[in-house]
Amino acid sequence: MKLRLAMASAALALTASSGFAQSDWDMPTPYADSVFHTQNITRFADEVREATDGSINITVHSAGSLFAHGQIKDSVRRGLVPIGEILMSQLVNEDPVFGVDSIPFLAASYDDAEALWEASRPRVEEVLEAQGLTLLYAVPWPGQSLFLRQPVEDPAELQGISFRAYNNATERMAELLGMIPTQVEAGDIPTAFSTGRVASMITSPSTGVSSQAWDYTSHYIDTQAWLPKNMVFINSSVYTGLSDGERDALRTAAEAAEQRGWEMSQLETDTQIAALEEAGMVVSQPSEALAARLSDIGETMVTEWLAEAGEEGQAVIDAFRGE
Ligand code: PCA
């Protein structure tokens, strides 16, 4: 690891000193190679390499193999690596704006998620920039739905069930449902279920498929409650140290990746639900009682989020609602 870091720092020093030298960029990402976000990033890296004639050569280190998910943001900020990807809501403790995409039923369709991203992007960029990070693009996961070991009609049946959470909002939602949350990284999901730490989760059909949810859950309830995003960002001094041509190439590839990623995500939703069903899971729509309970919880969580996020948060919500 030490040697790898020394090499990463050397590559970074080279980038900062010259726009022409060939730079090898290590890019840590949290999710597995089979996940569409990672596949999109691999194409982004290919396009940057081609457009810069190889002067920016990005190597993707997926599944937390170079840095664990929780360390990726700081590793880019400190210049250990120039570029990285994380789940945006992971940073909600730093600023509430990072969590606005994880509130149940605030923006549950792709159109609404896009409008919410447009409304929140300037603030996300500003908060990142204050830390020396430049946003390149963000892409949502498909809608978040429930994975359980039994059918559930009445939300009261969820009480006391252990639950795999992946950010503060999923933890809060579980608490409001009377469930018992534990945060677990995507790569550790199968182990967390097989060792009995958790018995249910809410995530996308994509993560359901990549973690083979049919091995340890049986029921998929298609709530599609929100579309949390992953974001790709770069160390700002690396970014400003690039030649104009390199910066343009990076921006163009980022815009293409954003567009492609949203399309991939939307296409995945149905194919991955079908894959869950194909693998033997019982796929159903939420009962009226469950949908109503989740929607109440969503309202509670919007109120809680606004109390935290203050005027800046209100401005994001107003912009989203076109007020
Ligand atoms: N997959 C990631 C984040 C949201 C999603 O759909 C996970 O479950 O960790």
Side-chain angles (χ1 to χ4, degrees):
M1 180 61 116
K2 267 203 183 126
L3 180 63
R4 271 209 206 141
L5 287 187
M7 286 163 66
S9 309
L12 204 59
L14 196 64
T15 312
S17 64
S18 154
F20 297 104
Q22 195 214 301
S23 318
D24 289 319
W25 287 5
D26 287 312
M27 177 170 186
T29 74
Y31 302 100
D33 286 335
S34 63
V35 171
F36 77 95
H37 286 286
T38 314
Q39 290 166 356
N40 192 29
I41 285 173
T42 304
R43 282 182 63 182
F44 163 76
D46 289 345
E47 288 183 9
V48 170
R49 192 178 304 108
E50 276 161 33
T52 60
D53 285 332
S55 86
I56 300 177
N57 180 36
I58 300 175
T59 303
V60 179
H61 299 269
S62 61
S65 58
L66 185 55
F67 289 106
H69 195 179
Q71 297 171 344
I72 292 176
K73 197 267 296 188
D74 272 339
S75 73
V76 178
R77 192 176 55 79
R78 291 165 57 205
L80 299 175
V81 286
I83 189 169
E85 178 206 32
I86 62 169
L87 182 74
M88 193 170 96
S89 51
Q90 209 201 42
L91 303 185
V92 69
N93 290 337
E94 298 185 11
D95 192 290
V97 76
F98 293 120
V100 75
D101 67 8
S102 295
I103 303 170
F105 300 111
L106 175 65
S109 68
Y110 279 88
D111 283 350
D112 283 353
E114 201 180 331
L116 183 62
W117 179 220
E118 246 172 61
S120 54
R121 184 176 193 143
R123 175 82 190 141
V124 166
E125 287 181 336
E126 182 186 318
V127 179
L128 287 176
E129 210 53 68
Q131 295 196 30
L133 298 170
T134 300
L135 177 82
L136 288 174
Y137 71 87
V139 167
W141 291 88
Q144 303 294 292
S145 296
L146 284 164
F147 291 75
L148 296 159
R149 287 180 170 163
Q150 67 273 66
V152 166
E153 294 283 325
D154 179 347
E157 292 166 60
L158 294 169
Q159 278 173 26
I161 298 179
S162 57
F163 178 87
R164 177 262 170 174
Y166 62 76
N167 63 7
N168 291 8
T170 46
E171 216 171 305
R172 181 67 184 135
M173 190 201 72
E175 276 166 16
L176 290 166
L177 284 166
M179 305 181 83
I180 302 157
T182 307
Q183 293 218 23
V184 174
E185 275 301 318
D188 299 329
I189 291 174
T191 310
F193 275 90
S194 66
T195 56
R197 283 177 68 207
V198 297
S200 66
M201 63 181 170
I202 191 159
T203 188
S204 55
S206 310
T207 297
V209 168
S210 65
S211 60
Q212 305 200 323
W214 49 85
D215 286 343
Y216 45 83
T217 61
S218 49
H219 288 69
Y220 168 87
I221 304 185
D222 193 37
T223 52
Q224 299 201 28
W226 68 94
L227 288 79
K229 290 184 295 294
N230 285 1
M231 62 180 179
V232 170
F233 50 88
I234 179 170
N235 179 297
S236 301
S237 43
V238 172
Y239 185 66
T240 49
L242 297 174
S243 69
D244 289 350
E246 286 173 325
R247 216 175 305 116
D248 281 354
L250 205 62
R251 273 288 166 204
T252 305
E255 273 165 33
E258 179 145 359
Q259 169 102 27
R260 183 173 61 231
W262 281 71
E263 285 163 12
M264 290 169 97
S265 178
Q266 196 159 7
L267 281 175
E268 282 242 340
T269 308
D270 290 344
T271 54
Q272 301 296 50
I273 294 171
L276 293 170
E277 199 160 24
E278 182 75 11
M281 292 197 69
V282 179
V283 170
S284 68
Q285 291 304 307
S287 67
E288 256 175 54
L290 181 59
R293 181 83 188 99
L294 289 173
S295 142
D296 279 356
I297 286 175
E299 276 170 36
T300 303
M301 288 176 65
V302 174
T303 309
E304 290 177 350
W305 186 84
L306 281 169
E308 277 270 310
E311 275 175 32
E312 264 138 7
Q314 188 65 57
V316 167
I317 299 293
D318 288 350
F320 165 58
R321 293 186 169 149
E323 282 162 13

